[in-house]
Amino acid sequence: MLEAFLYLIVAVAAGLGGHRIGTAITGRRMREREARASVESAQLSRRLNELETDRARMAAILSGMVEGVLVVDGDGRLRLANDAARRMLNLESNLLGRHYVEAVRQPGVVGQLGAALKGEHRSPIEVPLDAVSAAGGPRIFRAQATPASAEGGGAVLVLHDISDLRRVDRVRRDFVANVSHELRTPLTAVRGYVEALMEDPVEPEQRRKFLEVIDRHTGRMERLVRDLLRLARLDAQQETADVHAIDVATLFRSVSTDLSERIERQRLHIDITVDAAAAVIEADPTKMHDALRNLIENAVNYSAEGGRIELEARAAGDRVLLSVADHGPGVPEADLGRVFERFYRVDKSRTRDPGGTGLGLSIVRHLVELHGGKVSAANRADGGAVFTISLPHRRDR
Ligand code: ADP
């Protein structure tokens, strides 16, 4: 197209100095050439527009990508870095045109780019970052540079943030380790007592004690397996909330009745306060019973003999708050946010382990979330823990 313009300019220049005899013929050719030039110039401007649109589209795609993309030319100079790449590699601004070795600080990434510039195809590497991921764990990304296929060499580096993947892996590994550990303790005890019963002659009194220990530990394993299965069902969203109108005072009373043996044995006092505005809630009765039972059972476990447990329901805006408060030792501030994690126990030694599985509160959280609610832990100003379930509340009832 440029040639056409040049031709036109040359032709016009030639025409200006031409002989009069050739004017008629030259004039026709000129008009033809002018017409052709105008078509070509329209095509050129359309093409330029298309290129500009492509460039803008490409820039939008690159800046919207979660993956980091970095392009280096055959001389090793940075030609492009999208926003994600700048964030991941903590790149300074104004780095385009600089050599990649100056701009990129991670040795692993520099190595990848160097190899790709030599035409090598290397496997991706994992690079840890100083920054902390949104989920709180360490940030890590996978980097792979490949030689650019375009003429003139160069390389393209793609970065994937795999922090979440690694975190899920770690959670799964910890979970398996925890389950194995939780099962090993009672299993070792059961095995020891069974062997003792089988090998040595045992007095009837001692035999009874051994059997009681076996019974306690098998009960513990049963609870663990039951809770694990329930969590698995909740995780797989196999449980749904079958919502009905529930009278909260009746619900509080029925959970207390379930635990009446322990409550009486520990001579505990249960206070129930239900505000009129929170007297009826919309929830799945069985699931809400299970959630409250878990919380009240914990309150019983951590209460001293003769202690008081307060069960309260009140409305707060478009929520209803159900709380279980005790006067026990409370939860250390640093552990408040973690007690809902699976197997999390404040007292790791389990010296005062009342037979819990460490899964109760994570089941409560699942059950409450199934209702679109939230559960939180806090400490009362005058000592003791308070667990609060907050549910969406329909006030028009
Ligand atoms: P567990 O089976 O150990 O009771 P949970 O998931 O129910 O498991 O509770 C997790 C941890 O939270 C407990 O081990 C305990 O450290 C702490 N916790 C729960 N409820 C209370 C409470 N009412 N008072 C003090 N600590 C509590």
Side-chain angles (χ1 to χ4, degrees):
M1 269 170 273
L2 192 60
E3 277 167 24
F5 278 119
L6 290 174
Y7 182 75
L8 188 69
I9 291 163
V10 172
V12 170
L16 284 175
H19 296 288
R20 278 178 156 263
I21 295 164
T23 307
I25 304 164
T26 316
R28 205 183 66 235
R29 281 206 190 126
M30 279 291 288
R31 277 193 298 281
E32 282 171 13
R33 280 173 193 159
E34 275 169 15
R36 204 162 58 223
S38 121
V39 169
E40 282 171 353
S41 124
Q43 279 175 348
L44 179 68
S45 106
R46 202 171 51 241
R47 185 80 197 105
L48 283 172
N49 275 339
E50 279 171 13
L51 279 173
E52 181 51 32
T53 314
D54 282 355
R55 202 198 58 76
R57 194 178 295 141
M58 172 108 142
I61 292 172
L62 281 169
S63 80
M65 276 174 75
V66 279
E67 291 84 6
V69 179
L70 203 96
V71 179
V72 169
D73 67 15
D75 298 327
R77 303 205 170 271
L78 285 188
R79 286 287 156 230
L80 185 149
N82 70 350
D83 294 348
R86 285 168 197 266
R87 268 197 312 275
M88 287 176 181
L89 297 173
N90 203 7
L91 296 177
E92 292 163 24
S93 48
N94 285 341
L95 46 85
L96 291 189
R98 294 247 296 274
H99 198 271
Y100 74 93
V101 175
E102 282 174 64
V104 179
R105 276 182 288 267
Q106 289 75 4
V109 177
V110 170
Q112 278 271 322
L113 279 166
L117 282 171
K118 283 188 232 145
E120 290 173 26
H121 287 264
R122 283 204 186 161
S123 313
I125 52 161
E126 289 188 7
V127 187
L129 280 179
D130 297 335
V132 167
S133 75
R139 282 195 66 191
I140 184 157
F141 63 85
R142 180 183 285 149
Q144 185 167 33
T146 39
S149 52
E151 226 175 278
V156 179
L157 175 81
V158 179
L159 305 156
H160 294 268
D161 190 335
I162 53 166
S163 321
D164 284 346
L165 263 170
R166 288 287 165 272
R167 191 180 52 80
V168 171
D169 263 6
R170 203 176 50 248
V171 168
R172 199 170 20 218
R173 271 201 307 274
D174 288 355
F175 184 68
V176 172
N178 273 323
V179 173
S180 319
H181 180 77
E182 295 289 331
L183 281 171
R184 201 175 50 205
T185 318
L187 264 176
T188 312
V190 169
R191 172 159 212 123
Y193 284 103
V194 167
E195 277 171 6
L197 282 171
M198 286 195 314
E199 280 164 18
D200 307 313
V202 187
E203 294 291 311
E205 179 57 14
Q206 209 173 19
R207 182 187 168 82
R208 201 177 54 79
K209 275 196 184 135
F210 284 6
L211 286 173
E212 270 170 18
V213 177
I214 292 171
D215 182 54
R216 207 171 61 240
H217 284 291
T218 42
R220 188 182 162 77
M221 283 189 282
E222 255 170 24
R223 283 196 298 281
L224 184 67
V225 171
R226 184 201 59 206
D227 283 358
L228 282 171
L229 286 175
R230 179 126 211 219
L231 266 180
R233 273 203 311 277
L234 287 163
D235 261 348
Q237 292 172 354
Q238 284 166 356
E239 290 200 28
T240 47
D242 187 7
V243 174
H244 294 278
I246 313 174
D247 182 81
V248 178
T250 313
L251 179 65
F252 278 156
R253 275 196 297 272
S254 98
V255 179
S256 310
T257 310
D258 271 11
L259 299 167
S260 58
E261 206 187 302
R262 296 268 325 267
I263 291 170
E264 276 159 30
R265 198 173 345 128
Q266 282 178 241
R267 295 187 296 105
L268 299 172
H269 303 276
I270 310 283
D271 288 347
I272 298 180
T273 315
V274 177
D275 275 4
V280 178
I281 55 166
E282 295 275 337
D284 182 314
T286 321
K287 293 191 175 66
M288 215 25 78
H289 183 104
D290 290 350
L292 280 170
R293 189 192 155 118
N294 252 304
L295 297 182
I296 299 174
E297 206 168 359
N298 277 346
V300 169
N301 288 338
Y302 290 91
S303 287
E305 199 164 322
R308 188 172 293 280
I309 294 173
E310 284 121 26
L311 311 179
E312 195 187 309
R314 63 193 157 87
D318 56 352
R319 324 277 299 171
V320 62
L321 307 179
L322 309 180
S323 60
V324 177
D326 61 53
H327 292 262
V331 180
E333 293 295 317
D335 298 291
L336 278 174
R338 301 202 58 190
V339 286
F340 295 97
E341 289 174 21
R342 289 160 195 209
F343 295 116
Y344 195 82
R345 288 189 180 93
V346 173
D347 185 357
K348 311 282 184 298
S349 66
R350 280 171 238 158
T351 40
R352 55 162 298 155
D353 180 6
T357 60
L359 296 172
L361 288 179
S362 48
I363 292 177
V364 172
R365 188 175 64 184
H366 265 96
L367 291 173
V368 172
E369 284 175 356
L370 208 60
H371 290 81
K374 282 196 165 77
V375 57
S376 58
N379 286 309
R380 301 155 44 103
D382 57 345
V386 48
F387 286 83
T388 306
I389 295 175
S390 154
L391 298 172
H393 190 33
R394 274 182 43 204
R395 297 179 127 261
D396 51 324
R397 302 191 42 89

